[in-house]
Amino acid sequence: MGGDKWNINDNWNDPGAHPCDWYGVYCDVGNQIINRITMLDNNLQGAVPIELWQMPNLRILDLSTNAIDFQFEGISECSSLKGLYLSDTGLSSLEGIGELADV
């Protein structure tokens, strides 16, 4: 997804950094479980890995205004997701998004 070319990539390329310390990643206080990823207009590029959907505690994902594309295969595993913001992306298909019930 072009991490070296992102507008802001604080700690993403630091192998010693905890994911909760990465720019745009927000975690529950105390248990350090990722609950929100917000990378709005950050020059992300390419395909978003489907492993993203393996985060059952993710509640909000905002990747708007980036040149990215998605596959929604497995999105049902992201059972806590309540907000999915993908406007102004390279999204080419919504196939599979129906697996997610509550967004």
Side-chain angles (χ1 to χ4, degrees):
M1 290 189 33
D4 291 337
K5 297 178 183 177
W6 295 352
N7 295 334
I8 304 172
N9 64 0
D10 296 353
N11 295 322
W12 278 83
N13 293 323
D14 180 352
H18 189 280
C20 294
D21 295 326
W22 297 347
Y23 170 78
V25 174
Y26 301 86
C27 298
D28 289 332
V29 177
N31 58 13
Q32 300 215 346
I33 295 174
I34 297 171
N35 64 18
R36 178 169 49 122
I37 299 174
T38 303
M39 300 286 282
L40 172 70
D41 195 16
N42 200 36
N43 200 35
L44 278 62
Q45 301 173 10
V48 176
I50 61 171
E51 290 81 9
L52 180 68
W53 307 131
Q54 297 173 1
M55 300 175 65
N57 297 300
L58 185 65
R59 295 183 55 214
I60 296 173
L61 178 63
D62 187 350
L63 301 179
S64 300
T65 317
N66 287 289
I68 54 176
D69 199 8
F70 275 84
Q71 291 184 12
F72 294 102
E73 178 184 336
I75 195 171
S76 62
E77 294 180 44
C78 207
S79 56
S80 297
L81 193 63
K82 301 295 181 199
L84 180 60
Y85 305 96
L86 304 174
S87 63
D88 297 320
T89 64
L91 185 62
S92 60
S93 171
L94 292 175
E95 184 176 342
I97 198 167
E99 294 178 30
L100 191 61
D102 292 334
V103 173

